[in-house]
Amino acid sequence: QTPYMRILPQQGFELRLQCPPGGTSCSGSEMNRFKILPEFSPDSDGGRIEVAETAVWDTQARCKSETDESADIVYDPPLEYDSFGNVIGSMNGEYYRYGGNRRDYKLLSDPTLVAMLPMEAKVIICYCDDDCENSAN
């Protein structure tokens, strides 16, 4: 597969995280998770504000502090929900965000992702390797 740095709007794509060599950088468990954030953070008035980038170890880093994911990246086929709002056929309602148990790469591919964004728009991709309910990770 040819790697791409950009995607086209409304075209399906897979998200692959290449782990550093050596086999110890990414765990072999399936407790990892991807999070896709919008380019701008929501403000208290319901609008969007630009937030300066911070170091990943900073407690205020967006990947650690924000929980609202981008609504501009959707799944194809669309996810199906039960009456409680949980994704049908998933583990704890979040299985579709996991990248698998390989140590050399993590792959978010089933279902595929579709960007419902204009060409100039961006999203922020966050990756957590383990204990992802803890915001420090």
Side-chain angles (χ1 to χ4, degrees):
Q1 296 179 354
T2 305
Y4 294 96
M5 299 301 288
R6 294 184 178 96
I7 58 169
L8 295 173
Q10 302 178 2
Q11 297 296 309
F13 69 96
E14 298 175 346
L15 184 61
R16 179 176 165 148
L17 170 77
Q18 194 67 37
C19 302
T24 58
S25 300
C26 291
S27 70
S29 80
E30 290 190 358
M31 302 308 344
N32 57 76
R33 188 171 72 199
F34 287 91
K35 183 168 37 172
I36 303 172
L37 300 176
E39 180 180 9
F40 300 105
S41 292
D43 68 9
S44 59
D45 297 328
R48 299 267 177 201
I49 57 171
E50 189 169 1
V51 178
E53 289 187 33
T54 57
V56 294
W57 55 84
D58 187 333
T59 57
Q60 296 303 310
R62 289 189 62 199
C63 285
K64 293 181 180 184
S65 62
E66 288 189 28
T67 57
D68 292 336
E69 294 198 49
S70 173
D72 296 323
I73 304 292
V74 298
Y75 294 89
D76 183 35
L79 302 177
E80 296 181 30
Y81 296 87
D82 63 18
S83 60
F84 300 103
N86 296 318
V87 176
I88 295 173
S90 67
M91 178 174 61
N92 299 327
E94 295 186 344
Y95 183 75
Y96 60 93
R97 294 192 214 168
Y98 295 135
N101 60 4
R102 292 187 60 130
R103 290 183 170 271
D104 54 344
Y105 68 85
K106 302 296 179 179
L107 183 65
L108 191 58
S109 64
D110 185 23
T112 58
L113 300 163
V114 177
M116 306 303 281
L117 298 161
M119 287 294 286
E120 67 275 2
K122 300 175 186 174
V123 292
I124 296 171
I125 307 293
C126 305
Y127 173 76
C128 172
D129 199 51
D130 193 18
D131 190 21
C132 300
E133 298 307 316
N134 180 350
S135 63
N137 292 331

